[in-house]
Amino acid sequence: MSKLELVGMVILIGLISYNFKLSLSVKRLRNQIGKARLNELYQDKSQQLLDVIHEKRKWTILSQILIFASFVIALMGVKLVVLLYFLILYTVTTIYINRLTQHVFKSYTQH
């Protein structure tokens, strides 16, 4: 394993750990809000919420493209560095999606 691959693995592991922690935080917020209030939140048609939903949808599509590209790269047997690059990009997009969700839930719980 080259130094570049090792650095990529360390970065990927760090990002995955942060994303896992963030996902647990979002799950706790979702449980704190409750199912009934969560449905009420999604029924709200405020412009800010619609903008966040639209942005989240775009980033979700990007993350799906990146994970699909990672699978194709892994099946083709391309260098590990290229696979790590796409996996890091995928992880960054999921972190951003989780941050958007966390922001919406936190702003809702403050009201």
Side-chain angles (χ1 to χ4, degrees), residues 71-108:
F71 286 135
V72 170
I73 289 169
L75 290 175
M76 290 175 47
V78 179
K79 286 189 168 191
L80 182 61
V81 173
V82 178
L83 178 62
L84 287 171
Y85 176 73
F86 278 92
L87 288 173
I88 287 170
L89 288 176
Y90 167 74
T91 307
V92 168
T93 58
T94 56
I95 287 171
Y96 185 71
I97 291 167
N98 280 332
R99 295 288 290 173
L100 280 173
T101 307
Q102 184 184 42
H103 175 71
V104 169
F105 288 168
K106 278 187 176 181
S107 66
Y108 186 71

Side-chain angles (χ1 to χ4, degrees), residues 42 45 49-65 96-97 100-101:
Y42 286 123
K45 299 295 182 193
L49 183 61
L50 291 175
D51 290 343
V52 169
I53 289 171
H54 181 70
E55 186 172 353
K56 185 177 172 184
R57 188 173 299 135
K58 289 190 303 187
W59 282 88
T60 301
I61 292 169
L62 176 62
S63 72
Q64 291 170 349
I65 291 169
Y96 185 71
I97 291 167
L100 280 173
T101 307

